[in-house]
């Protein structure tokens, strides 16, 4: 069986199943094998009453002793109640609106009832239990996958079982590494992560696969670095005389840090080997102006420049800012995004193909195969962690001679950036421009959230605007997390009644998001309730309050990023963190945010605390192509994997050369880092 074959070729995958699988990002058999469970459910069997955890599902062998008459409630629900016996205890099982359920049971028969049991005195009660565990004869760990309307755990388990019955995944790490860490085989790891025998073996499988993923990531980065540092010839740009005029025209002076980084970039531009540099700068440190000056010099040398942003909102913002800064300097700027109309898109692509010396600002649309640059001189990506090494490679492949500049406002601890970006030279803007407003950060426990909204209302009365950020779009009963929609309902009928409020989240169409942001920018909307889609780059100087609900769910660096959306004008600004401070770790994290505005210090603390959230946000695995590992939480595995990858890449043994070649070949077929032949 070829793991790169399409999943719809599998037996039992019809049109509906194919659509459901594709919707979940499962196109090939490899995608299916690497669609790991998001969580696991530990099901204990026939445990003693004192060991029952009311939050966990368990399966008990219960004997039916009585069938009660159905009851109709005031809310017109039908309650069906059956009484069972378990080890001499009464078990009251209740089903809602399932009167037919009693027909499936017989008095005197024993059934395995699966559900969450509650202790009621000496007896037990279980609501809507399942009679679906006849095959369960020991404690089990049940995988739970991310699902959609037509994608079920049953379908996934059936398909994965079928594939694993017909495939043997061969070992592909050097045997000395497998022995060094006493890893279980890759074949066993894939099987165990889907169908674990026990908790110990599951942990071994996860550790092996995390290492596999981070080892492959490191090999890819190191080989990219070798390729970049090799014999590739760059362009070698002259320093334009107009640069001095541009700097004079700026309405502000560059900071010492900006000037230092600008010098490093211009020195790279003069070299005949291609630049490959990362610019790290805290929120508001002035990275964009650096990027504009760098591209300006490239355009004045007769080449093309690309500025790629992670969202259309940010791409539009950069486009307008570049137009404003370069007004009067005879530099043409184009905007190419997913929303660009057909004729306009064709016109811009034609200009790109003709080699016109223009700046093209856009989103992922810029790296599509039909965007063919004739004289590409510089590629700049904003918010580098949103793109990852694959997109970095694709950009470089547009023209291997072009200079590459990547930027991030997420301060990354040096200890981590050395592993993540070892293919890049690093410049740091560690100074904020003068006049940047200090943001007062306040933390409130959930029960005191109204104090934060009262402050927001006072600011609205002064003519200011407010951001409110929630981690989810829809309410989540299991996590008890504030959602965008729930918060909107709470405010429009309560504390902010009568105030113009709108919602913004990532599932909206780009045009809809742009229209909402435009209304907020011009002040028509006073309060914007959003997910973290507004985290990066959005600039509204009149916004003076940032309220973050469930702040404990975000990484410290992401909280710092969100905080940077305010304090951009001349008005006093505030960041209000509302969190469930149920433990000392959360309290410590909130204290760090209220005490410090230094993004690099905050990032270091985030790395030390670890479990308090991911460095890059609520869930960042997919953004970097990672499906199991986390750069922060798995920093020790990353260090070990990176060191072993260095040895493999740098040594010239036949086995290691073969391994590197296999990794490169496999990564051409997939964006996943774990499983390859």
């Amino acid at each position: 069986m070829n793991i790169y074959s399409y999943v719809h070729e599998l037996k039992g995958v019809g049109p509906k199943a194919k659509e459901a699988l594709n919707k979940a990002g499962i196109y090939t058999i490899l995608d299916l094998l690497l669609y790991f469970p998001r969580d696991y459910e530990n099901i204990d069997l026939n445990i003693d009453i004192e060991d029952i955890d009311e939050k966990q599902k368990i399966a008990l062998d219960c004997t039916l002793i009585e069938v009660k008459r159905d009851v109709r409630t005031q809310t017109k629900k039908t309650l069906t109640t059956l009484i069972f016996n378990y080890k001499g205890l009464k078990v009251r099982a209740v089903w809602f609106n399932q009167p037919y359920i009693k027909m499936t049971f017989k008095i005197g028969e024993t059934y395995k009832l699966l559900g969450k049991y509650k202790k009621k005195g000496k007896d037990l009660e279980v609501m809507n239990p399942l009679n679906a565990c006849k095959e369960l004869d020991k404690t089990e760990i049940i995988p739970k996958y991310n699902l959609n309307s037509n994608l079920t755990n049953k379908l996934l388990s059936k398909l994965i079982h079928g594939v694993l019955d017909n495939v043997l995944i061969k070992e592909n790490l050097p045997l000395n590494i497998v022995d060094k860490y006493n890893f279980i085989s890759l074949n066993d790891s894939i099987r165990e992560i889907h169908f674990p025998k026990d908790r110990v073996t599951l942990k071994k499988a996860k550790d092996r696969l995390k290492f596999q993923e981070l080892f492959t990531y490191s090999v890819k980065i190191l080989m990219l670095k070798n390729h970049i540092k090799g014999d590739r010839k760059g362009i070698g740009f002259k320093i334009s005389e107009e640069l001095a005029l541009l700097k004079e025209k700026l309405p502000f002076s560059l900071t010492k840090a900006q000037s230092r980084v600008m010098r490093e970039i211009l020195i790279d531009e003069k070299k005949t080997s291609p630049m490959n540099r990362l610019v790290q700068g805290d929120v508001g440190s002035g990275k964009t102006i650096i990027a504009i000056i760098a591209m300006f010099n490239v355009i004045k040398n007769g080449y093309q420049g690309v500025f790629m942003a992670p969202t259309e909102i940010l791409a539009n913002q950069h486009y307008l800012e570049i137009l404003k800064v370069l007004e009067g300097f005879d530099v043409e700027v184009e905007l190419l995004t997913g929303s660009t109309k057909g004729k306009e898109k064709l016109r811009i692509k034609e200009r790109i193909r003709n080699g016109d010396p223009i700046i093209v600002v856009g989103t992922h649309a810029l790296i599509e195969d039909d965007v063919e640059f004739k004289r590409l001189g510089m590629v700049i990506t904003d918010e580098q962690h949103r793109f990852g090494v694959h997109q970095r490679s694709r950009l470089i492949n547009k023209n291997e001679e072009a200079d590459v500049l990547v930027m991030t406002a997420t301060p990354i601890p040096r200890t981590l950036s050395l592993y993540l970006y070892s293919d890049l030279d690093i410049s740091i803007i560690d100074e904020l421009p003068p006049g940047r407003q200090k943001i007062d950060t306040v933390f409130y426990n959930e029960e005191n959230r109204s104090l934060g909204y009262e402050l927001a209302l006072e600011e609205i009365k002064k003519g200011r605007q407010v951001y409110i950020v929630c981690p989810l779009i829809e309410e989540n009963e299991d996590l008890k997390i504030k959602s965008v929609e729930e918060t909107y309902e709470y405010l429009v009928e309560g504390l902010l009644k009568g105030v113009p409020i709108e919602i913004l989240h990532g599932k909206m169409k780009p045009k809809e998001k742009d229209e909402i942001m435009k209304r907020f920018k011009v002040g028509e909307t006073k309060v914007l309730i959003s997910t973290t889609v507004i985290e990066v780059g959005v600039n509204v100087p009149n916004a003076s309050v940032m309220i973050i609900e469930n702040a404990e769910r975000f990484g410290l660096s992401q909280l710092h990023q969100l905080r940077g959306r305010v304090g951009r004008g001349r008005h006093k600004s505030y960041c209000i963190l509302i969190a469930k401070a149920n433990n000392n770790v959360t309290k410590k994290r909130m204290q760090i945010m209220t005490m410090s505005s230094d993004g690099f210090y905050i990032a270091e603390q985030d790395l030390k605390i670890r479990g308090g959230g991911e460095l890059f946000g609520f869930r960042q695995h997919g953004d970097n192509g990672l499906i199991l590992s986390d750069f922060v939480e798995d920093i020790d595995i990353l260090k070990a994997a990176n060191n072993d990858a260095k040895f493999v890449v740098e040594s010239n043994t036949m086995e290691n050369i073969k391994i590197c070649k296999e990794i490169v070949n496999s990564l051409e077929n997939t964006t996943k880092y774990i499983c390859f032949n």
Side-chain angles (χ1 to χ4, degrees):
M1 182 179 285
N2 184 348
I3 60 171
Y4 298 115
S5 298
Y6 288 113
V7 73
H8 64 252
E9 295 173 17
L10 292 174
K11 186 180 178 182
V13 178
K16 274 191 178 179
K18 177 192 172 186
E19 185 183 350
L21 290 162
N22 290 173
K23 191 176 176 183
I26 303 170
Y27 295 93
T28 66
I29 291 171
L30 177 60
D31 291 335
L32 179 67
L33 290 178
L34 297 184
Y35 197 73
F36 295 152
R38 63 174 171 79
D39 201 356
Y40 297 88
E41 197 165 63
N42 296 315
I43 297 180
D44 289 314
L45 178 66
N46 293 332
I47 59 177
D48 294 330
I49 187 170
E50 57 266 22
D51 295 327
I52 288 175
D53 180 347
E54 295 185 354
K55 294 179 182 177
Q56 295 292 330
K57 283 185 181 177
I58 56 176
L60 302 181
D61 285 332
C62 299
T63 304
L64 182 61
I65 57 176
E66 184 182 355
V67 177
K68 296 281 189 182
R69 182 177 290 180
D70 287 351
V71 175
R72 188 82 165 166
T73 68
Q74 288 182 341
T75 56
K76 297 184 179 179
K77 287 181 180 176
T78 302
L79 299 185
T80 299
T81 304
L82 276 62
I83 307 299
F84 293 83
N85 175 67
Y86 173 69
K87 294 185 177 181
L89 302 171
K90 270 190 181 180
V91 177
R92 185 171 178 265
V94 181
W95 286 266
F96 293 94
N97 295 326
Q98 298 180 60
Y100 53 85
I101 200 80
K102 55 183 175 284
M103 306 300 293
T104 63
F105 296 94
K106 289 183 181 179
I107 288 178
E109 294 283 327
T110 300
Y111 304 89
K112 280 188 173 69
L113 297 184
L114 172 64
K116 293 181 181 179
Y117 288 78
K118 288 186 177 179
K119 298 170 188 175
K120 297 287 183 179
K122 292 182 180 179
D123 300 328
L124 296 172
E125 184 178 76
V126 60
M127 312 302 286
N128 294 313
L130 293 175
N131 178 26
C133 298
K134 290 178 182 175
E135 73 283 358
L136 192 66
D137 57 5
K138 60 180 175 36
T139 294
E140 274 204 21
I141 302 172
I142 308 297
K144 295 170 75 174
Y145 297 89
N146 280 321
L147 306 172
N148 55 47
S149 54
N150 291 314
L151 190 63
T152 64
N153 271 306
K154 189 175 180 181
L155 174 64
L156 285 167
S157 294
K158 180 186 172 185
L159 292 176
I160 293 166
H161 254 306
V163 169
L164 291 176
D165 284 345
N166 291 283
V167 72
L168 180 67
I169 301 165
K170 69 178 185 179
E171 189 56 67
N172 50 39
L173 280 179
L175 293 179
N176 64 311
I177 291 179
V178 175
D179 293 339
K180 178 180 175 181
Y181 298 106
N182 197 25
F183 283 141
I184 63 174
S185 72
L186 180 59
N187 184 59
D188 287 344
S189 297
I190 294 290
R191 292 169 196 275
E192 285 296 327
I193 201 161
H194 287 293
F195 309 109
K197 294 188 190 79
D198 52 58
R199 294 177 182 87
V200 174
T201 316
L202 175 59
K203 186 180 185 307
K204 286 182 179 178
K206 279 187 175 182
D207 287 347
R208 161 66 206 254
L209 292 171
K210 283 181 177 182
F211 184 93
Q212 184 92 18
E213 186 168 46
L214 295 171
F215 175 84
T216 310
Y217 176 91
S218 298
V219 168
K220 173 80 175 180
I221 284 275
L222 291 163
M223 293 185 76
L224 183 62
K225 181 180 181 179
N226 288 347
H227 175 62
I228 290 165
K229 298 291 183 187
D231 297 327
R232 284 199 312 140
K233 290 189 177 176
I235 297 167
F237 299 102
K238 295 176 182 177
I239 302 302
S240 169
E241 292 178 2
E242 288 186 74
L243 272 178
L245 292 173
L246 176 59
K247 287 181 184 177
E248 280 178 23
K249 192 193 169 191
L250 294 177
F252 51 82
S253 298
L254 297 181
T255 63
K256 288 180 181 177
Q258 284 175 312
S259 297
R260 183 187 69 246
V261 171
M262 198 67 250
R263 277 196 302 275
E264 291 168 353
I265 291 168
L266 291 174
I267 288 169
D268 279 353
E269 286 192 7
K270 286 168 68 177
K271 290 178 181 174
T272 53
S273 57
M275 171 170 66
N276 203 40
R277 184 170 291 278
L278 170 71
V279 174
Q280 274 187 269
D282 210 341
V283 177
S285 61
K287 297 178 298 303
T288 307
I289 193 63
I290 297 292
I292 294 171
I293 295 171
M295 279 193 298
F296 177 80
N297 192 56
V298 167
I299 301 302
K300 289 301 175 182
N301 274 262
Y303 284 82
Q304 299 166 315
V306 166
F307 196 133
M308 189 164 84
T311 66
E312 291 204 10
I313 292 172
L314 192 51
N316 273 285
Q317 190 170 291
H318 284 320
Y319 171 71
L320 294 172
E321 188 169 354
I322 293 168
L323 284 176
K324 184 179 175 183
V325 171
L326 299 184
E327 187 181 0
F329 282 94
D330 193 26
V331 173
E332 294 186 64
V333 188
E334 299 280 9
L335 180 65
L336 183 62
T337 69
S339 296
T340 306
K341 294 287 190 294
K343 284 185 179 179
E344 181 71 355
K345 198 174 278 187
L346 289 173
R347 182 189 67 79
I348 295 169
K349 287 179 181 178
E350 185 64 26
R351 293 199 72 187
I352 290 169
R353 264 193 297 273
N354 289 340
D356 294 0
I358 54 175
I359 293 174
V360 186
V361 183
T363 54
H364 288 78
L366 291 169
I367 57 174
E368 296 302 323
D369 292 337
D370 64 344
V371 180
E372 301 165 7
F373 289 88
K374 187 176 182 181
R375 285 178 64 79
L376 184 58
M378 171 167 274
V379 174
I380 298 178
T381 63
D382 194 14
E383 288 310 316
Q384 172 57 30
H385 70 268
R386 298 292 179 107
F387 297 110
V389 68
H390 291 295
Q391 287 91 339
R392 203 142 83 226
S393 300
R394 287 187 71 181
L395 279 169
I396 290 170
N397 290 337
K398 290 287 182 182
N399 179 8
E400 293 208 346
E401 294 181 348
D403 284 350
V404 175
L405 184 67
V406 296
M407 306 194 304
T408 180
T410 302
I412 303 163
R414 184 165 180 78
T415 50
L416 187 56
S417 62
L418 289 173
Y419 296 107
L420 300 189
Y421 301 126
S422 56
D423 58 317
L424 302 167
D425 297 314
I426 298 176
S427 292
I428 296 175
I429 305 176
D430 51 6
E431 178 185 5
L432 291 178
R436 177 80 179 173
Q437 284 286 335
K438 182 181 180 297
I439 303 162
D440 284 354
T441 303
V442 186
F443 159 59
Y444 291 119
N445 265 310
E446 276 205 320
E447 57 268 24
N448 295 321
R449 75 153 42 83
S450 61
L451 295 174
Y453 286 103
E454 284 168 12
L455 186 150
L457 187 56
E458 286 300 313
E459 285 294 297
I460 291 167
K461 287 176 181 175
K462 293 177 187 174
R464 307 288 82 78
Q465 289 164 275
V466 176
Y467 290 108
I468 300 170
V469 173
C470 305
L472 299 175
I473 298 168
E474 298 161 352
E475 188 176 358
N476 187 308
E477 268 298 322
D478 293 334
L479 293 176
K480 300 293 182 190
I481 292 174
K482 288 284 178 190
S483 70
V484 168
E485 291 172 354
E486 183 191 6
T487 303
Y488 176 80
E489 295 296 332
Y490 165 72
L491 292 174
V492 293
E493 294 300 327
L495 287 167
L496 301 183
K497 191 171 183 178
V499 175
I501 304 175
E502 286 201 80
I503 284 176
L504 180 73
H505 57 74
K507 287 189 178 179
M508 291 176 167
K509 292 180 179 177
K511 187 178 179 182
E512 188 180 3
K513 284 191 284 189
D514 284 344
E515 286 172 355
I516 291 167
M517 273 312 305
K518 281 173 188 172
R519 287 194 290 272
F520 188 65
K521 278 188 175 184
V522 298
E524 288 177 23
T525 305
K526 297 301 179 185
V527 177
L528 187 65
I529 307 174
S530 172
T531 55
T532 54
V533 70
I534 59 96
E535 171 193 347
V536 177
V538 179
N539 189 21
V540 181
N542 191 49
S544 65
V545 180
M546 166 66 71
I547 297 177
I548 304 172
E549 289 279 0
N550 290 107
E552 78 279 1
R553 304 296 304 186
F554 299 93
L556 292 183
S557 290
Q558 192 176 31
L559 291 176
H560 181 63
Q561 281 266 49
L562 290 166
R563 175 168 61 183
R565 295 308 100 219
V566 295
R568 292 176 163 256
R570 53 191 175 81
H571 311 295
K572 178 69 184 165
S573 295
Y574 306 87
C575 178
I576 297 163
L577 307 173
I578 299 172
K580 294 176 185 174
N582 297 331
N583 55 62
N584 289 331
V585 171
T586 300
K587 288 173 184 172
K588 184 178 179 184
R589 295 174 72 242
M590 296 303 108
Q591 186 181 32
I592 289 166
M593 290 302 301
T594 57
M595 298 287 287
S596 177
S597 58
D598 182 339
F600 286 94
Y601 169 78
I602 288 168
E604 288 285 358
Q605 296 307 306
D606 213 1
L607 190 57
K608 286 177 185 174
I609 295 171
R610 299 228 191 125
E614 298 88 355
L615 180 68
F616 298 129
F618 192 53
R619 179 166 175 79
Q620 54 101 20
H621 307 330
D623 291 333
N624 287 289
L626 301 181
I627 54 177
L628 190 63
S629 314
D630 181 282
F631 285 138
V632 176
E633 292 176 1
D634 300 315
I635 181 69
D636 293 332
I637 299 176
L638 174 61
K639 287 178 182 176
N642 190 269
N643 287 333
D644 286 314
K646 275 182 186 172
F647 178 79
V648 168
V649 170
E650 290 169 4
S651 65
N652 289 317
T653 66
M654 290 298 291
E655 183 191 11
N656 289 345
I657 291 169
K658 183 185 174 192
I659 286 165
C660 290
K661 189 175 179 182
E662 283 184 349
I663 288 174
V664 170
N665 288 341
S666 68
L667 289 173
E668 287 177 2
N669 292 314
T670 177
T671 60
K672 308 291 194 304
Y673 287 116
I674 289 182
C675 186
F676 47 86
N677 276 0

